Amino acid sequence: MADDHNHDEDGHTHDDVELIEEGTTPAADAAPAKKGSEQTWRTYVPAISSLVLLLGGIALDNYATNWFKDPVRLIWYIVAYLPVGWPVLRRAWSSSFRGDVFTEFFLMGVATLGAFAIREYPEGVAVMLFYTIGELFQDAAVLRARRSIKALLDVRPDEVTVLKNGKAQVVKAATVAVGDVVQIKPGEKVGLDGTMRSATGTFDTAALTGESVPRSIEKGEAVLAGMINRQSLVEMDVTTPYQDSKLSRILKLVQQATGRKAQTQEFIARFAKIYTPIICLMAVLITIVPYFLVADYRFADWLYRGLVFLVIGCPCALVISIPLGYFGGIGAGSRQGILFKGSVFLDLMTQLKTVVMDKTGTLTKGVFKVQEVKPVGIDAKELTRLTAALESKSTHPVATAIIDHADTSYETVSVEEVEEIAGHGLKGRVDGKEMLAGNAKLLRKYKVNFDEALTKIPYTIVMTAIDGKFAGYFTIADEAKPDAQKAVARLKAEGIRTVMLSGDKAAVVEAVAKQVGVDEWHGDLLPEDKVTQVERLKAELSGSPKAKLAFVGDGVNDAPVVALADVGMAMGGLGSDATIETADVIIQNDEPSKIAMAIEIGRATRRIVWQNITLSLVVKAIVLVLGAGGLATMWEAVFADVGVAMLAILNAVRVQNLKFK
């Protein structure tokens, strides 16, 4: 399809480039709903009127031959032709005037006017009518793909409730300042990013992450625009301007996504620019050359064959169904919480041979958690109670992990004379007993005997002593995400090599690597070391041009390697802004299993695209030969063009309804 097809003169937008207009809000969308429904009905009026007149004309051709003849017959079919033919002829003229002559509009215009010239009026009307029906069908499919992406992302409320001087005021979300307090009612969407001010709340995060299970958010935790409050009235402190919220940035990324086209799309666009003039030339040759070769040459017969050839040769099925297939893939990913920043990355996902992953925040939760409690000469519950009481006087993340592991009974324990020893731990009097909680250096400092083998455990260790005697220890580690092992197993089942790179201690990295099952791992890495490792892994794939590497990360220090990889993937929920901006694919709910799902969506999209290419070329090749040989009429030509286009469009939108594991 030609470039002129981007915006037709009747107001339809066939193109997939501007899926979402800047500044669109649900409120703005809702206002012209009635007008939109009227416009939809009016869109079909020309095709319906033309169809009625065509069927009437065919009936008259068969049952009123005594009076239904030229000029009455010609006028009847001209009236039937104009509702569907005039917009196409007008677009053909305007595109030709701009220098783009060989468009589908030109092909259809010449073919149908030629049919009128040889008095094949019904076929001329039918070709244009079915072409228009195909266009309407295509518009509906493109609109559906556009809406599937827009509906997921355009969930920002236009107005929010702000508390000022103790009074609730409804104001425009764009006018709210950082630091303002926003009130969110049950069932209401969050309009801006902020932190939870109330004690707790339950939010539906499906619009951002694709996750259907509501999420509980505690005081001080992040609340993001697009979430929906599911329970009681809550308040939050605004931390980000409206235009800079995570949802706003994602919205902008989707607006830009369709500009980054897959190689298949670019090839088909170039192919159509060469293919269409060749079809026109061949149609002319089919009409003229037989004059020099055939004894009983009739110009009208060979002109008809040339016109059939023109109709069959229109590249609509290829040029519309292929981008539509890619947008279906982008929409399918969005519903699963996976944002592809362009159709090119759908293709690249199918070529991955190595997936490199960061550890903290990607394969692990990025939150310290007590893994084991090993008491010595004391009950485990009592040791936890006393240690939590002492650690409650510290704000260190390790202390928080122990407090979270304990029940609330530690709050009744008396704690006195607490001393924080930098780089060692805590000392204090707990329930009247002298207690130590910290690392091995702390126990050595106070000459407490313990098993030195404990220092070789590849996790953070909090050792305790009560009244000068070793009382046990806690192992604290960053916990692997629930689906990390499954994610790695799925990638390995696809024949993809898995590598983990981390700045954490090598022993900790090894323990996590063995737990989740990656093929290769490296720890104690600085950001520049990660770059070196990724360059090495890419060099190992250089012998195969089709083999690509993806890096999945979430921290600021991951941004350089995300940019270096063939496909950079970011964990969008916890990920840093720099990494999300740099990445090509964003996993919005931070689940590593979505890496394999993204590959599956890419493969399904590519499979459907190539099905459409094969269907279109094979059917057109067969009917082109039949048309050139005089064995195909305009009706077969209509099927080869519009029919195949409609089948390809149906196949393309199918990707939006596929179920992915």
Side-chain angles (χ1 to χ4, degrees):
M1 195 160 292
D3 292 340
D4 184 54
H5 197 197
N6 292 352
H7 298 281
D8 72 37
E9 296 178 11
D10 296 317
H12 306 131
T13 303
H14 302 285
D15 192 13
D16 34 296
V17 173
E18 296 191 34
L19 291 182
I20 304 169
E21 293 186 13
E22 188 76 46
T24 303
T25 64
D29 289 343
K34 183 176 179 183
K35 181 180 177 182
S37 60
E38 290 175 358
Q39 185 64 36
T40 301
W41 168 251
R42 289 175 183 170
T43 302
Y44 293 99
V45 168
I48 293 170
S49 59
S50 181
L51 176 62
V52 170
L53 289 168
L54 173 63
L55 294 176
I58 292 172
L60 291 172
D61 274 337
N62 287 280
Y63 300 108
T65 53
N66 57 330
W67 65 270
F68 191 65
K69 48 193 175 185
D70 291 342
V72 174
R73 183 169 181 263
L74 173 62
I75 293 170
W76 180 283
Y77 281 113
I78 287 175
V79 173
Y81 177 85
L82 286 176
V84 290
W86 176 247
V88 176
L89 295 176
R90 191 174 57 186
R91 281 183 277 175
W93 170 258
S94 63
S95 61
S96 299
F97 188 75
R98 292 195 297 270
D100 191 8
V101 177
F102 296 104
T103 64
E104 69 202 68
F105 315 121
F106 174 80
L107 295 183
M108 287 298 158
V110 171
T112 53
L113 292 176
F116 268 79
I118 58 175
R119 302 182 65 187
E120 297 288 349
Y121 309 142
E123 294 187 14
V125 175
V127 167
M128 194 62 81
L129 171 63
F130 287 114
Y131 169 74
T132 302
I133 291 173
E135 289 283 283
L136 292 170
F137 191 80
Q138 155 202 306
D139 284 354
V142 170
L143 184 61
R144 182 184 177 195
R146 184 185 301 128
R147 282 174 176 167
S148 73
I149 299 172
K150 182 176 178 179
L152 177 93
L153 296 171
D154 200 8
V155 293
R156 299 170 299 177
D158 192 37
E159 297 178 331
V160 296
T161 303
V162 176
L163 293 178
K164 291 186 177 179
N165 301 321
K167 294 183 179 180
Q169 300 178 19
V170 177
V171 300
K172 293 287 186 183
T175 66
V176 177
V178 173
D180 284 352
V181 179
V182 170
Q183 191 179 73
I184 309 157
K185 302 179 181 69
E188 191 174 28
K189 291 176 184 174
V190 180
L192 303 105
D193 290 355
T195 56
M196 193 71 169
R197 187 182 182 90
S198 302
T200 186
T202 302
F203 292 84
D204 181 346
T205 65
L208 290 172
T209 67
E211 178 58 57
S212 59
V213 179
R215 177 182 163 193
S216 179
I217 295 178
E218 307 294 327
K219 184 174 181 178
E221 292 184 339
V223 181
L224 300 178
M227 293 181 175
I228 301 173
N229 182 17
R230 284 302 182 201
Q231 288 188 342
S232 57
L233 182 75
V234 297
E235 296 175 4
M236 77 169 196
D237 295 309
V238 176
T239 57
T240 311
Y242 180 75
Q243 66 273 14
D244 294 331
S245 71
K246 186 161 288 190
L247 184 63
S248 296
R249 290 199 305 273
I250 291 172
L251 196 57
K252 290 174 184 175
L253 294 175
V254 173
Q255 287 177 273
Q256 299 161 4
T258 53
R260 307 173 81 169
K261 297 183 179 179
Q263 289 182 348
T264 311
Q265 278 180 269
E266 293 175 349
F267 167 74
I268 291 299
R270 292 194 300 269
F271 171 78
K273 288 184 179 293
I274 299 169
Y275 165 87
T276 308
I278 290 174
I279 288 294
C280 292
L281 176 61
M282 291 181 69
V284 171
L285 294 176
I286 287 171
T287 304
I288 297 173
V289 169
Y291 174 79
F292 303 100
L293 304 175
V294 178
D296 56 346
Y297 174 83
R298 276 188 79 244
F299 176 74
D301 291 343
W302 288 98
L303 176 60
Y304 183 80
R305 293 188 189 189
L307 296 174
V308 168
F309 198 85
L310 276 182
V311 174
I312 299 168
C314 187
C316 301
L318 285 173
V319 185
I320 268 296
S321 66
I322 290 167
L324 184 58
Y326 281 111
F327 299 135
I330 291 174
S334 297
R335 281 195 297 277
Q336 299 295 336
I338 303 168
L339 172 60
F340 294 94
K341 289 189 183 177
S343 51
V344 61
F345 303 114
L346 282 162
D347 266 0
L348 289 175
M349 293 301 292
T350 68
Q351 301 173 32
L352 292 182
K353 293 301 178 186
T354 301
V355 172
V356 184
M357 294 165 279
D358 177 44
K359 180 182 74 71
T360 307
T362 300
L363 288 173
T364 64
K365 294 180 179 179
V367 178
F368 280 116
K369 187 173 182 180
V370 173
Q371 304 295 314
E372 282 185 304
V373 181
K374 292 290 187 179
V376 175
I378 186 174
D379 179 68
K381 188 173 182 181
E382 179 65 8
L383 178 62
T384 303
R385 187 175 77 94
L386 296 175
T387 308
L390 181 59
E391 294 287 4
S392 67
K393 305 305 178 183
S394 171
T395 57
H396 193 280
V398 170
T400 304
I402 293 175
I403 293 167
D404 289 343
H405 184 71
D407 58 31
T408 56
S409 63
Y410 78 87
E411 296 174 356
T412 62
V413 178
S414 66
V415 182
E416 301 171 318
E417 302 172 17
V418 177
E419 181 184 355
E420 186 161 355
I421 302 166
H424 290 67
L426 296 173
K427 175 189 174 188
R429 186 163 291 278
V430 180
D431 256 1
K433 303 170 186 176
E434 187 176 275
M435 186 168 186
L436 302 172
N439 55 27
K441 290 185 288 185
L442 178 68
L443 269 62
R444 291 192 192 107
K445 179 179 174 69
Y446 288 93
K447 297 181 172 52
V448 177
N449 295 323
F450 64 93
D451 185 356
E452 289 289 342
L454 296 178
T455 59
K456 304 209 185 301
I457 294 175
Y459 297 111
T460 299
I461 301 291
V462 175
M463 298 184 184
T464 62
I466 298 175
D467 289 335
K469 292 183 179 180
F470 182 65
Y473 64 92
F474 297 77
T475 60
I476 298 174
D478 183 9
E479 189 179 18
K481 291 181 179 178
D483 65 332
Q485 189 172 0
K486 181 177 74 173
V488 172
R490 284 187 63 188
L491 291 171
K492 292 170 76 171
E494 297 288 344
I496 295 172
R497 180 186 181 190
T498 56
V499 181
M500 184 168 69
L501 304 179
S502 177
D504 208 343
K505 291 189 301 183
V508 175
V509 174
E510 182 179 3
V512 174
K514 289 179 177 177
Q515 181 185 353
V516 301
V518 294
D519 298 314
E520 181 183 335
W521 59 89
H522 301 275
D524 293 314
L525 300 177
L526 296 172
E528 53 266 33
D529 298 326
K530 288 186 178 182
V531 170
T532 302
Q533 289 288 347
V534 169
E535 287 176 339
R536 173 183 64 82
L537 292 166
K538 284 188 72 175
E540 292 176 8
L541 296 174
S542 60
S544 176
K546 292 287 186 181
K548 304 298 181 184
L549 177 145
F551 182 89
V552 191
D554 72 310
V556 174
N557 62 331
D558 293 328
V561 274
V562 165
L564 177 63
D566 297 309
V567 180
M569 304 180 73
M571 292 293 175
L574 297 175
S576 75
D577 294 347
T579 307
I580 291 170
E581 292 293 334
T582 307
D584 307 310
V585 181
I586 299 170
I587 298 173
Q588 297 185 81
N589 62 1
D590 293 330
E591 293 180 2
S593 58
K594 292 295 177 74
I595 302 169
M597 183 182 287
I599 294 171
E600 188 182 352
I601 292 171
R603 288 177 177 172
T605 303
R606 189 170 179 82
R607 186 166 58 248
I608 284 174
V609 164
W610 279 102
Q611 286 171 356
N612 285 345
I613 291 173
T614 304
L615 172 70
S616 300
L617 292 181
V618 169
V619 173
K620 282 185 180 291
I622 293 171
V623 185
L624 279 172
V625 172
L626 295 176
L631 301 176
T633 66
M634 282 282 188
W635 299 104
E636 283 84 3
V638 167
F639 171 76
D641 177 44
V642 179
V644 171
M646 292 174 74
L647 289 175
I649 290 166
L650 277 174
N651 194 39
V653 298
R654 189 166 59 88
V655 71
Q656 298 177 58
N657 301 316
L658 293 178
K659 303 294 182 185
F660 299 99
K661 297 179 183 178

